[in-house]
Amino acid sequence: MEPDQAETASGHPLRLRRAVDVRGGRRLLWLAMIALGACSEPAPGTGGEAPVPGPRADTLYVGEHIITLDPEHPDATAVATRDDTIVWVGRLDDWRGSAGRTVALGDRALLPGFIDAHGHLSFLARTVNLANVASPPVGAVTDLASLRQVLSAHIAERGPAPGDWVLGMGYDDSLMEEQRHPDRDDLDAVSVTHPIALIHVSGHLMAANSRALELAGIDAATADPPGGVIRRRRGSQEPDGVLEETATGALQQFFLSGSDIPSEDVARALSVYASHGITTVQDGAASWDIYRRFADVAAAEGLMLDVVVYPRGMETDFAVPEGVSTGVYRNRLKFGGVKLILDGSPQGKTAYLSEPYHVPPAGLADDYRGYPTLPQPAVDALVAGYLAAGLPMLVHCNGDAAAQMLIDAVARAPEGAASADHRTVMIHAQTVREDQLDRMQTLGIVPSYFSAHTFYWGDWHRDSVLGPERAARISPTATTLARGMRFTVHNDAPVVPPDMLRLLWATTNRQTRSGAILGEAQRISTLDALRAVTIDAAYQHFEEDLKGSLSPGKQADLVILSADPLTTDPAQLLDLSVMATVSRGAVVHSAPGSPL
């Protein structure tokens, strides 16, 4: 996003963006207030005699627990906002302005709004009405019997007509008593008239009953598609109902394709994000149809949060539609760049590793390492093309072998193809090695870690996926921080809920479901974890001059927490709650007891 555009990403005129550049000093801050119409007197040092009043504000937030994440305002006790902008930050004793209302925070904490570094808004919007077949704490499934009970209850409650699809989201074989995926026989026991399809918690696999396989045209004669696997019954070519990676596309065409997402489901999904303090939402691996659908909803009904869309760009003929530009919000919707997917899921054992899985999937050889979704020459061509075009990239790499494919592709790009500040993001980067981090730092690749995995699947990674040594290093935030590298952390909703407080807790504590600590050496402080979901997440989106800290001139995106996370024992971060969320100055979430 260029600062000399006629209009900035937030809609503020050019003079404000230049005025609030932190390199410009206090005089430029005064000019920012002029741009906002907040100051009507002469500037200090310009010959005027009258005292300079403070800015006019709609709301003045006052408290002893304001975390600005702005080094120029480390001890602020007041923040003033007007319309969609922060107009003043400082000590309350220094406030000389006027405000329409004052919000006394008390023991509550005020922070910048949380930024979704990676997730799938359209996927969450599509799944808000599906059967919840997740395990605790998200759902109630603990074994195959309870899975069948949840599905049967969902059918009884929703009353689908005979032959209608029955869909579920979030089953997790690693957390079920049987330690296996539900197969077609398990789901046929629920219904043989309804086609049933369940989406694995990772989003990279599906389980289907016989009727669903029949409708998808999957049988013993169906070959595995490139980048995917149709699992078979032992000793047979007959599909067992479990589909991996690209093989799920035959089912997805029936319920995850197209753009006919009801606007109320989009609003409901955004409300979920807002309830967790998130003010900027991402939709990674969307389609242009989804982008256009969001644009229609934004124009007709509005979006309560900022939405950044990264369409899937796995084909060399990817093209940006006429009139769409990166870096510019229109009605709170922005095209952020492209999404590439180079491998699968570690918990689903489809991620591409350099060393074999600790325990390979049933029926596979001991040297099984997963597999890539694209060959290296294709990755090289895509990455070089997008770098040359100046299109930002989010690149899904769970396994370290997939991570190496991205590193090699960026390194091999023709001289001049990679801009000085391309900020290619390695999404998940869960098993990235120390030598790879060194290369990523040199090449300007930003890791975005799925550090919620330490809780949700840490035990599974240690005992089955990676073994103790490799599992202790998943999402290596501490060693990344030690290099002085920027990084972000994410939930990948709806793989797990967009719960930012649990994400902070998981990142700082690295505690598994069983209570074990997975890689104590990779723990980081609460403050560093907060940076990863605020200012550094803004940097990832090329928005650090607009969001991510409570700074004069930035967008009025705020979250109020029940207590100060910096004075809370990291082990107790889950005891905090989101009291209120403010997006562009508007209250979009307010919990009981909120001051708003």
Side-chain angles (χ1 to χ4, degrees):
M1 179 166 51
E2 296 298 328
D4 60 353
Q5 287 178 308
E7 182 157 312
T8 69
S10 65
H12 293 315
L14 168 64
R15 62 184 182 274
L16 175 60
R17 280 284 295 281
R18 284 182 172 162
V20 299
D21 190 322
V22 296
R23 296 167 294 183
R26 293 187 177 182
R27 180 170 175 79
L28 288 184
L29 177 56
W30 178 84
L31 289 174
M33 293 183 179
I34 287 288
L36 288 164
C39 181
S40 58
E41 299 294 329
T46 61
E49 299 297 330
V52 180
R56 299 195 306 272
D58 300 322
T59 305
L60 180 68
Y61 297 88
V62 177
E64 296 294 328
H65 304 281
I66 296 177
I67 303 170
T68 66
L69 292 170
D70 181 346
E72 294 191 7
H73 301 283
D75 57 353
T77 57
V79 172
T81 65
R82 181 180 177 186
D83 298 325
D84 64 351
T85 304
I86 297 170
V87 297
W88 188 88
V89 179
R91 300 291 297 177
L92 180 60
D93 291 345
D94 297 328
W95 169 250
R96 298 293 183 268
S98 61
R101 64 171 176 170
T102 297
V103 175
L105 297 168
D107 292 333
R108 306 175 191 92
L110 181 72
L111 296 86
F114 298 138
I115 295 172
D116 179 23
H118 184 59
H120 307 275
L121 170 61
S122 59
F123 196 7
L124 180 60
R126 290 183 187 279
T127 58
V128 288
N129 296 314
L130 304 191
N132 180 1
V133 292
S135 297
V138 180
V141 171
T142 57
D143 56 15
L144 290 169
S146 57
L147 173 73
R148 291 191 292 267
Q149 290 171 359
V150 167
L151 287 172
S152 296
H154 178 79
I155 292 171
E157 178 184 349
R158 296 300 177 106
D164 284 353
W165 282 83
V166 174
L167 307 173
M169 173 67 195
Y171 84 88
D172 190 342
D173 56 305
S174 74
L175 297 176
M176 291 194 289
E177 182 179 334
E178 295 83 356
Q179 295 277 287
R180 69 171 177 84
H181 294 262
D183 60 25
R184 64 193 297 177
D185 296 329
D186 298 313
L187 300 182
D188 284 350
V190 176
S191 176
V192 292
T193 57
H194 293 292
I196 299 176
L198 306 183
I199 303 168
H200 188 259
V201 66
S202 68
H204 287 260
L205 302 93
M206 287 188 180
N209 70 348
S210 297
R211 180 58 178 152
L213 293 174
E214 179 185 354
L215 290 175
I218 298 174
D219 57 25
T222 307
D224 291 349
V229 172
I230 300 170
R231 294 193 182 182
R232 316 284 175 166
R233 295 188 189 275
R234 189 177 295 273
S236 167
Q237 285 300 301
E238 191 66 27
D240 70 1
V242 180
L243 308 175
E244 299 179 6
E245 303 299 339
T246 58
T248 64
L251 290 179
Q252 290 184 28
Q253 63 177 317
F254 291 100
F255 46 83
L256 289 180
S257 61
S259 59
D260 54 342
I261 304 175
S263 58
E264 57 267 29
D265 287 349
V266 175
R268 183 178 173 187
L270 289 173
S271 293
V272 172
Y273 282 102
S275 71
H276 290 293
I278 297 169
T279 51
T280 298
V281 176
Q282 185 188 110
D283 195 354
S287 66
W288 283 119
D289 284 343
I290 292 295
Y291 178 88
R292 284 185 281 268
R293 175 57 181 154
F294 285 159
D296 289 343
V297 173
E301 302 173 39
L303 301 173
M304 70 169 66
L305 306 174
D306 285 357
V307 176
V308 187
V309 177
Y310 291 81
R312 185 181 176 113
M314 300 285 280
E315 305 295 335
T316 54
D317 60 354
F318 178 89
V320 179
E322 186 176 352
V324 177
S325 301
T326 57
V328 179
Y329 281 101
R330 290 186 173 86
N331 297 322
R332 308 202 67 171
L333 178 68
K334 183 175 87 168
F335 163 50
V338 298
K339 173 74 179 292
L340 302 177
I341 301 170
L342 302 193
D343 72 341
S345 154
Q347 70 268 38
K349 298 187 178 180
T350 59
Y352 184 34
L353 302 176
S354 62
E355 299 294 334
Y357 279 87
H358 187 60
V359 178
L364 296 183
D366 289 343
D367 63 353
Y368 172 77
R369 298 187 294 118
Y371 49 89
T373 55
L374 291 172
Q376 185 70 55
V379 176
D380 290 350
L382 289 170
V383 168
Y386 292 135
L387 288 174
L391 284 179
M393 287 179 285
L394 305 181
V395 188
H396 170 118
C397 306
N398 261 314
D400 61 327
Q404 193 63 48
M405 294 179 76
L406 174 60
I407 292 168
D408 290 344
V410 174
R412 291 169 182 160
E415 186 176 356
S419 68
D421 191 19
H422 57 92
R423 303 189 196 181
T424 296
V425 181
M426 184 184 290
I427 294 295
H428 306 323
Q430 289 196 72
T431 59
V432 67
R433 306 186 307 267
E434 295 298 318
D435 64 295
Q436 292 177 320
L437 284 173
D438 291 337
R439 290 290 288 141
M440 291 167 65
Q441 185 172 28
T442 300
L443 294 168
I445 300 172
V446 179
S448 183
Y449 294 122
F450 197 166
S451 54
H453 259 249
T454 53
F455 168 71
Y456 284 101
W457 296 287
D459 295 317
W460 178 245
H461 286 333
R462 181 195 62 227
D463 299 338
S464 185
V465 179
L466 300 170
E469 183 176 349
R470 282 184 294 174
R473 282 199 66 267
I474 62 168
S475 299
T477 49
T479 50
T480 306
L481 187 66
R483 287 174 168 81
M485 292 176 66
R486 290 181 184 262
F487 65 89
T488 63
V489 296
H490 60 262
N491 285 302
D492 200 19
V495 173
V496 301
D499 186 338
M500 302 304 276
L501 293 176
R502 182 172 288 277
L503 178 61
L504 291 171
W505 172 85
T507 304
T508 57
N509 290 277
R510 296 181 66 94
Q511 181 175 313
T512 71
R513 289 174 184 267
S514 69
I517 302 302
L518 188 69
E520 184 172 1
Q522 293 294 345
R523 285 173 161 179
I524 61 174
S525 71
T526 302
L527 178 59
D528 288 325
L530 282 171
R531 288 186 61 85
V533 297
T534 54
I535 189 63
D536 288 345
Y539 173 86
Q540 175 187 304
H541 285 305
F542 291 85
E543 294 184 342
E544 72 274 17
D545 61 344
L546 180 67
K547 304 173 181 177
S549 66
L550 302 181
S551 304
K554 286 194 176 183
Q555 200 162 285
D557 292 346
L558 320 168
V559 60
I560 298 175
L561 301 182
S562 56
D564 189 338
L566 297 184
T567 59
T568 299
D569 184 333
Q572 305 303 316
L573 286 172
L574 287 178
D575 294 339
L576 303 184
S577 60
V578 174
M579 302 301 296
T581 306
V582 177
S583 178
R584 296 200 183 196
V587 178
V588 292
H589 169 73
S590 183
S594 166
L596 297 180

